[in-house]
Amino acid sequence: MSGIKYRGQTLLALMLSLALSSFLLLVVLSFYGYIQRQNHDMLRKLQLQTELQRVLQTLGRDIRRAGFRSLSEGLIQNNLSLFELDETGTAITIGQSANSPLNSCVLFFYDVNGNGCIGANNKGKSCVANGKNSASEISTELFGYRLNDNMIESRQTYKSSISQTCKQEECRSYIQPEACNSSGWTDLLDDKTYRITALTFDRIEQGQGIQVYLAGQFVNYPHIQYETGIVIPLLNQGEWQ
C-alpha cells in the first residue's frame, strides 16, 4: 500500500478550468441578457403597434363620416351649403400646418347629432337666418387631424375661436387648409413616450377615398419603429352620394 502514488490537478490545470467555467458562465449570461432584451423589444413593438393601430382606426371611423348629413323631419332649411367647399358638397380638405410636411393635415365636418344641420338644434325650423348660420355649437361638428412637432393632434375647436353667426365665406374657412394653423389642437398620444415620424393623407380614386400613412417610434427607444396605413372610402362625397 505504501507504494501507491496520488496525483492531483496542477495549478495551471485548475486555472484553465476556472477560466473555462467563467467563460461559459459569461456566455450563458450574455445569451440570457440578449434574450431578455429581445423579449422587451418585442413587447415594446407590440405596444407601439397597438397604439398606432388604435389611432389609425379612430381616424378611419371619423374621416369615413365626412360630409354625412341626416334628414330631419320638420327642418325647412339646413346650413350645409354654408360649410361645403363647392357646389358638389365637398366636406373635407387636405393641407398642412406651418413647418409640417405636405398633406399632413385633414379637416372635415359631419352631422354628429343627426339633426340635419352642422351644430345643435336651432329653436326654429331653419339653421340659416339672413344668409348666416343660426345653429348653435357648430364647433362640435368640425373635425381635423394633423401632424405637428412629431405628434398627431386632434382638432378641438373652441366656441371662442369661431363665429356662431358666420356667413358662407367664414363658415367655409373653418375647414379650408389655412385652418390647419388654427388654435385648439390636442395630442392623441403621450409625447414623452411616442414620436410620430410621418402622417400623410392622400386622395385616391378621383377623390373617392383617402389613403392614410402613419409611422412612429418610441422616444426612449428610437430603434423600435412601426408604420401602417389604411384606405378610407369617402361614402358621403362625390359619386358615392
Side-chain angles (χ1 to χ4, degrees), residues 131-161:
K132 299 179 181 179
N133 171 68
S134 60
S136 61
E137 300 180 11
I138 59 176
S139 59
T140 60
E141 298 187 339
L142 303 175
F143 305 93
Y145 296 97
R146 73 177 184 181
L147 177 66
N148 183 48
D149 196 21
N150 292 121
M151 179 49 58
I152 183 170
E153 299 177 335
S154 174
R155 187 182 190 182
Q156 300 290 326
T157 309
Y158 301 112
K159 291 182 180 179
S160 59
S161 64

Side-chain angles (χ1 to χ4, degrees), residues 40-232:
H40 289 161
D41 282 355
M42 187 178 301
L43 290 174
R44 291 187 185 105
K45 186 160 188 176
L46 181 60
Q47 177 186 346
L48 179 64
Q49 176 180 341
T50 301
E51 283 298 296
L52 294 192
Q53 285 292 349
R54 179 185 64 81
V55 168
L56 195 63
Q57 293 304 315
T58 298
L59 267 65
R61 286 193 299 269
D62 243 3
I63 295 174
R64 189 177 290 112
R65 298 171 182 165
F68 168 76
R69 69 288 310 277
S70 178
L71 297 177
S72 179
E73 293 185 7
L75 184 66
I76 297 175
Q77 185 179 12
N78 63 47
N79 60 357
L80 293 166
S81 62
L82 296 179
F83 295 88
E84 292 168 342
L85 297 177
D86 53 37
E87 299 302 321
T88 65
T90 300
I92 187 168
T93 188
I94 295 173
Q96 57 279 328
S97 58
N99 303 317
S100 294
L102 291 174
N103 299 341
S104 59
C105 173
V106 63
L107 300 166
F108 54 99
F109 69 80
Y110 63 87
D111 182 13
V112 177
N113 55 24
N115 69 343
C117 292
I118 300 304
N121 285 322
N122 193 44
K123 294 181 180 179
K125 296 183 179 181
S126 174
C127 294
V128 178
N130 300 319
K132 299 179 181 179
N133 171 68
S134 60
S136 61
E137 300 180 11
I138 59 176
S139 59
T140 60
E141 298 187 339
L142 303 175
F143 305 93
Y145 296 97
R146 73 177 184 181
L147 177 66
N148 183 48
D149 196 21
N150 292 121
M151 179 49 58
I152 183 170
E153 299 177 335
S154 174
R155 187 182 190 182
Q156 300 290 326
T157 309
Y158 301 112
K159 291 182 180 179
S160 59
S161 64
I162 62 176
S163 171
Q164 298 293 332
T165 57
C166 59
K167 292 185 177 181
Q168 186 179 67
E169 183 178 357
E170 185 176 9
C171 292
R172 284 180 172 180
S173 70
Y174 299 142
I175 64 163
Q176 289 178 334
E178 293 76 14
C180 290
N181 292 305
S182 64
S183 59
W185 296 79
T186 184
D187 293 350
L188 285 183
L189 294 168
D190 181 7
D191 61 356
K192 293 182 175 59
T193 304
Y194 304 97
R195 177 184 293 117
I196 301 301
T197 55
L199 175 66
T200 58
F201 304 93
D202 295 305
R203 289 185 177 272
I204 59 174
E205 299 298 328
Q206 290 77 46
Q208 296 307 300
I210 289 182
Q211 181 173 311
V212 184
Y213 171 73
L214 176 64
Q217 60 187 193
F218 279 105
V219 173
N220 295 330
Y221 307 97
H223 64 286
I224 300 178
Q225 304 173 1
Y226 181 72
E227 59 183 72
T228 184
I230 189 175
V231 173
I232 307 169

